[in-house]
Amino acid sequence: MKVLIIVATAGEAARLAGVPAHVVVCGVGAVAAALSTQQELMREPYDLAVSAGIGGAYPGSGLQPGDLAISSLMAQADLGAVDGLPGQETFLSLEELGLSVQPDQSSDQPNGGIFPAWHGAQALAERLQYSGVQQSGLRVGYGPALTLSTVTGSLAVAHALATRFPGAVCEGMEGAGVAHAALRWGVPALEIRGISNPVGPRDRASWTLAEALAATRRGVEALLGW
């Protein structure tokens, strides 16, 4: 399987040095990720596009810093509108607004920025969970991976997002961008994130970057059978 891996930063790329895949640094955000993914897919064919790196774990996911998240889907979670009076705001998805990220607005199946993951994602998560628990206590979450342009900084927002996307495991800034570009090319996509922190109030001093990057590499190596 020929795999394209998109990461946001040079530090994430360095931790994946030597893996048998093409690793590209895109910069931060879904737009940067989509542009880089499209550019690479235009150059040569790939069997799978992967958004990889570190991210936050949602309340209720059961994941802690140093654990690993595998996507069941990738969602651009802040794409939509806010409606209602102050203090009574309601988030409206693109589907509820009658809009789609796909250019064909007449399609019977509009896409509100939610992209299914590669068909092998669940089996990968289960394999990693079994081997991780046996070897080192690594926990592996499988569920929706949410992409936001602004990192969540409050527990109230974190819980609201987790309610909108039941079973959400992680938050990042690039996954849906990779998936959106891959969809246009008919290439499956996947998100793999090592957990550096819980989603909520920012406490950079408590982030476990080294452990999160190590978990990311373990996930990528398992995907590649390496």
Side-chain angles (χ1 to χ4, degrees):
M1 181 168 61
K2 188 175 180 180
V3 178
L4 170 65
I5 299 177
I6 303 292
V7 298
T9 68
E12 289 165 322
R15 195 62 181 82
L16 296 177
V19 299
H22 183 42
V23 180
V24 174
V25 179
C26 67
V28 173
V31 172
L35 290 170
S36 291
T37 302
Q38 176 174 300
Q39 184 178 50
E40 297 303 320
L41 293 177
M42 288 176 66
R43 288 175 174 165
E44 55 185 297
Y46 287 90
D47 300 308
L48 178 64
V50 178
S51 175
I54 65 171
Y58 275 100
S61 68
L63 299 178
Q64 301 295 326
D67 290 335
L68 185 68
I70 304 292
S71 65
S72 62
L73 60 84
M74 291 140 287
Q76 184 70 52
D78 53 4
L79 201 55
V82 176
D83 194 17
L85 298 173
Q88 303 176 23
E89 296 92 343
T90 299
F91 183 87
L92 301 176
S93 67
L94 286 193
E95 291 98 331
E96 292 170 306
L97 295 168
L99 300 174
S100 175
V101 298
Q102 291 295 88
D104 183 5
Q105 297 291 321
S106 64
S107 171
D108 292 334
Q109 295 182 322
N111 188 319
I114 300 176
F115 309 97
W118 171 60
H119 66 85
Q122 185 171 3
L124 172 65
E126 290 173 352
R127 187 167 75 249
L128 276 161
Q129 176 64 36
Y130 177 78
S131 63
V133 168
Q134 293 294 314
Q135 296 173 12
S136 62
L138 175 75
R139 285 165 292 198
V140 180
Y142 172 73
L146 308 190
T147 301
L148 289 97
S149 297
T150 301
V151 174
T152 300
S154 78
L155 280 176
V157 174
H159 283 293
L161 286 164
T163 298
R164 282 178 46 219
F165 295 93
V169 289
C170 67
E171 176 175 298
M173 301 180 77
E174 294 80 33
V178 172
H180 193 169
L183 172 68
R184 295 290 184 92
W185 285 85
V187 176
L190 176 68
E191 189 162 357
I192 296 175
R193 292 207 175 266
I195 301 303
S196 57
N197 58 280
V199 176
R202 287 170 60 79
D203 178 12
R204 288 295 299 271
S206 68
W207 288 18
T208 60
L209 299 182
E211 292 86 345
L213 289 168
T216 303
R217 184 174 179 107
R218 286 185 65 180
V220 169
E221 289 179 344
L223 168 68
L224 299 172
W226 200 49

